[in-house]
C-alpha cells in the first residue's frame, strides 16, 4: 500500500515551490512528510548525523504563516533541505563527520545556510559524510557507513554521501555538498542524482569546514537539473566574509533551461574515455548519441596534461589538509579514522616545493582545458569508470586477472575539474545491468554554469525518468 | 624514485610535528609519499616556465582589512 506522503515526496523543488506558492500544499505537511521519511529510512541509510525535527517544525509553521499572508519569498520558501555536516549552523552540532568535533556547536552560520534560510528553506538536519570530507566512500567509522539507496551493500560515494543518498531516498528535497576531488559529483554519480560543482569562488566557503582552501567548492545536490539551478540562484555570489568569493555577475541560472541545444558544440575528453566498465561505456556512448540527436555537434578533444591532475589534486589537498589538521594531529591523532589519519601523515611528508609546483601546474591544465573548449560550448566525460563499488571493495578484477583500484578509477574523472576550478555537473545516464546508477559529467568555461545547466537540462528531458531505487519502491 | 624511508617518516613527524607513528604505518606512509614525490617530479615536464603560483594580492589585502576591522 502506498504511504500517505508518497505523492508529496515525489515532487522536486521546482514543482513543490509552485504548489507552496499556490497554497496547494502546506510547508507543515511537507516537513512532516520528510521527517516521517527520515524516520522510516535512515536506520538503514545512515544519511543523517543530526535531525533537527523541532527546528524544522517551527520553521515550517513560520513559513506557512508567511505564505498564507502573501509573503512568499521564492522557490525555496517552505522547502525541507539538508546540509552536509561540514556546514556551520549556529547552535546546532557540526561534526564534520568526525569524533574530534563531535560536540562542536558553531557560534555562527555558514553563508550558504544564511542565504538558504533567508530564502525560506527549512533545515531537516545535518548529513553524514566521509570523515572531514577526506575520502570518497562515506564509510564513516564514527557516525555509521552511509548506504547507497539503489543497493544497501554498495557505497554511495563521497565525501557528500549522505547528501546524495538523502536526495535519492527522498529524505530531503535538496541538499548541499562540497567538492575537493569530486565529493559532489561522485556521490551524485553513484547514487543517481544531479550534483553541480560550481566554478571555484562562485559560492562562498565561509563557515564551511575546509579540506583544502584552494580546491574546495560548495554546491547543490538535487533531484533535477532545474533544482540545481534554483539552488545556485540562492547561494551564488560574492560574500564579504570570503575574500576569495567572486564578484563576477550572478545570472538567473534557470533562464536557459528550456533553450534548445541544436547547433551547440560539445567535446568528449579523450583522456577520460579509457578503462571504463562495459556498462559505463555503453551508457556514456548512448548519452553522446542523445546529445547528437538533440542537434549538438559532438567531437573528441584532448587535454594532454589531464592525467597528471590526480597528482596535482593530491599534493595540494595533502599539503593544505595537513595545515588545517595540524593541531588535532599533534594532540589527538587516535581520534581520526585510520584512513584519514594516514592521508594526513602522508601530507606531513610533502615538501613545500612540490606544493608550489602543483599550484603552478594548475594553470597549465586550465590553459589546455580552455584550448580544448576552443569554440565549443561544453566538454563531456563519464562521471566515474564504474558503478557504485561494494562497501570495502578496493580492487576489482577482470576475467583476465587484471585489477584496477576502483577508488582511484573513480577519482580520476572528477579531480581534473577541481584542479581547473571549472563548473561541472554530474547527471544520471541510466542504470547498469546490476541496476546501479551511471552518470555523465558536463564541464563548462569558468562561470558558465548557465550553459552547463542548459545542456544538462536538454539531456535530462530527452533521457526521461530513471527507475526508482528499491528503497523507495518498498516505501 | 625519491627515497622516503620509514625512518625518515618517523623522524620528520617526531621532530617537526611532535608526533609518534609505529613502524608499519611509517612504511605505508613512506611508500605513498615516495610514489607521490616521484609523480610530482613529472609536473616539471609540463612546461611551467613563466607560470606564477596563483597568489592574489587583492585577497591578501581583503583578508588583512577584514581582520583589522574586527580588532
Amino acid at each position: 500500500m502506498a504511504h500517505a506522503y508518497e505523492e508529496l515526496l515525489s515532487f522536486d523543488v521546482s514543482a513543490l515551490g509552485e504548489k507552496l506558492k499556490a497554497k496547494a500544499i502546506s510547508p507543515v505537511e511537507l516537513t512532516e512528510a520528510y521527517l516521517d521519511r527520515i524516520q522510516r529510512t535512515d536506520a538503514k541509510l545512515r544519511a543523517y548525523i543530526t535531525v533537527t525535527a523541532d527546528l524544522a517544525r517551527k520553521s515550517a509553521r513560520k513559513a506557512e504563516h508567511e505564505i498564507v499572508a502573501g509573503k512568499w519569498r521564492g522557490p525555496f520558501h517552505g522547502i525541507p533541505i539538508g546540509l552536509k555536516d561540514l556546514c556551520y549552523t549556529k547552535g546546532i552540532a557540526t561534526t564534520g563527520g568526525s569524533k574530534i568535533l563531535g560536540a562542536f556547536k558553531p557560534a555562527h552560520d555558514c553563508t550558504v545556510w544564511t542565504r538558504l534560510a533567508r530564502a525560506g528553506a527549512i533545515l531537516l538536519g545535518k548529513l553524514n559524510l566521509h570523515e572531514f570530507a577526506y575520502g570518497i566512500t562515506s564509510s564513516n567509522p564514527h557516525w555509521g557507513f552511509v548506504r547507497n539507496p539503489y543497493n544497501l551493500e554498495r557505497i554511495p560515494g563521497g565525501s557528500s554521501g549522505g547528501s546524495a543518498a538523502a536526495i535519492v531516498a527522498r529524505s530531503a528535497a535538496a541538499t548541499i555538498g562540497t567538492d575537493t576531488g569530486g565529493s559532489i559529483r561522485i556521490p551524485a554519480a553513484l547514487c543517481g542524482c544531479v550534483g553541480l560543482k560550481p566554478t571555484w569562488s562562485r559560492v562562498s566557503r565561509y563557515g564551511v569546514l575546509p579540506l583544502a582552501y584552494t580546491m574546495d567548492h560548495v554546491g547543490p545536490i538535487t533531484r533535477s537539473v532545474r533544482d540545481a539551478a534554483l539552488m545556485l540562484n540562492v547561494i551564488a555570489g560574492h560574500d564579504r566574509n570570503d575574500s576569495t568569493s567572486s564578484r563576477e555577475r550572478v545570472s538567473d541560472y534557470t533562464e536557459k533551461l528550456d533553450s534548445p541545444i541544436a547547433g551547440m558544440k560539445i567535446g568528449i575528453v579523450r583522456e577520460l574515455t579509457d578503462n571504463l566498465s562495459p556498462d559505463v561505456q555503453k551508457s556514456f556512448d548512448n548519452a553522446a548519441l542523445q546529445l547528437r540527436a538533440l542537434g549538438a555537434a559532438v567531437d573528441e578533444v584532448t587535454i594532454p596534461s589531464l592525467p597528471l591532475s590526480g597528482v596535482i589534486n593530491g599534493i595540494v589537498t595533502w599539503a593544505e589538509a595537513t595545515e588545517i589538521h595540524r593541531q588535532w594531529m599533534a594532540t589527538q591523532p587516535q581520534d581520526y579514522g585510520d584512513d584519514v589519519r594516514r592521508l594526513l601523515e602522508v601530507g606531513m611528508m610533502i615538501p613545500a616545493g612540490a606544493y608550489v609546483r602543483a599550484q603552478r601546474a594548475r594553470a597549465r591544465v586550465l590553459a589546455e582545458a580552455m584550448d580544448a573548449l576552443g569554440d565549443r560550448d561544453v566538454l563531456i566525460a563519464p562521471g566515474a569508470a564504474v558503478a557504485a563499488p561494494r562497501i570495502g571493495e578496493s580492487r576489482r578484477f577482470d576475467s583476465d586477472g587484471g585489477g584496477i583500484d576502483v577508488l582511484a578509477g573513480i577519482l580520476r574523472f572528477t579531480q581534473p575539474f577541481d584542479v581547473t576550478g571549472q563548473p561541472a555537473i554530474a547527471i544520471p545516464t541510466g542504470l547498469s545491468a546490476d541496476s546501479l546508477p551511471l552518470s555523465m559529467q558536463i564541464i563548462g568555461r569558468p562561470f558558465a554554469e548557465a550553459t552547463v545547466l542548459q545542456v544538462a537540462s536538454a539531456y535530462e528531458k530527452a533521457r526521461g525518468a530513471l527507475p526508482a531505487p528499491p528503497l523507495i519502491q518498498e516505501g | 624514485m625519491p627515497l622516503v624511508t620509514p625512518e625518515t617518516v618517523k623522524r620528520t613527524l617526531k621532530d617537526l610535528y611532535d608526533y609518534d607513528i609505529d613502524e608499519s604505518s611509517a612504511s605505508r606512509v613512506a611508500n605513498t609519499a615516495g610514489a607521490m614525490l616521484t609523480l610530482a617530479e613529472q609536473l616539471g615536464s609540463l612546461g611551467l616556465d613563466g607560470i606564477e603560483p596563483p597568489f592574489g594580492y587583492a585577497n591578501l589585502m581583503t583578508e588583512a582589512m577584514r581582520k583589522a576591522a574586527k580588532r
Side-chain angles (χ1 to χ4, degrees), chain A residues 6-23:
Chain A
E6 286 309 312
E7 192 188 358
L8 270 183
L9 297 173
S10 71
F11 299 121
D12 67 1
V13 172
S14 170
L16 285 172
E18 292 301 316
K19 291 177 190 300
L20 286 163
K21 183 183 179 186
K23 305 182 189 94

Side-chain angles (χ1 to χ4, degrees), chain B residues 29-44:
Chain B
V29 170
N31 287 338
T32 308
M36 184 53 72
L37 293 179
T38 300
L39 291 169
E41 291 296 318
Q42 293 179 16
L43 295 179

Side-chain angles (χ1 to χ4, degrees), chain A residues 250-406:
Chain A
V250 174
S251 51
D252 175 358
Y253 295 105
T254 64
E255 213 166 57
K256 298 203 286 185
L257 293 182
D258 294 320
S259 301
I261 63 166
M264 289 180 88
K265 293 180 178 173
I266 297 174
I268 297 172
V269 182
R270 183 187 299 161
E271 288 78 8
L272 296 177
T273 54
D274 62 338
N275 292 320
L276 305 176
S277 76
D279 279 334
V280 170
Q281 182 78 64
K282 185 177 169 192
S283 189
F284 181 68
D285 289 346
N286 284 341
L289 280 175
Q290 190 83 63
L291 292 168
R292 284 193 179 100
L294 290 167
V298 181
D299 65 356
E300 200 171 79
V301 298
T302 180
I303 305 176
S305 64
L306 187 138
L308 284 170
S309 297
V311 182
I312 298 169
N313 184 260
I315 289 174
V316 171
T317 304
W318 262 316
E320 295 186 9
T322 298
E323 160 63 9
I324 290 159
H325 288 267
R326 188 176 188 279
Q327 197 59 39
W328 293 324
M329 280 295 280
T331 55
Q332 49 191 124
Q334 72 282 359
D335 289 338
Y336 286 94
D338 290 342
D339 62 333
V340 172
R341 187 174 58 248
R342 187 158 307 131
L343 288 169
L344 292 167
E345 288 165 350
V346 173
M348 292 171 173
M349 304 302 298
I350 300 294
Y355 173 75
V356 175
R357 193 180 317 132
Q359 285 287 18
R360 292 170 65 217
R362 293 175 71 175
R364 169 65 62 201
V365 185
L366 178 57
E368 290 179 10
M370 297 300 281
D371 281 346
L373 273 160
D375 65 348
R376 296 174 187 84
D377 297 282
V378 293
L379 305 176
I380 58 171
V386 294
R390 290 179 184 81
I391 291 171
E393 180 182 14
S394 58
R395 289 188 74 76
R396 183 169 295 177
F397 295 92
D398 59 29
S399 54
D400 298 329
I404 59 162
D405 179 326
V406 289

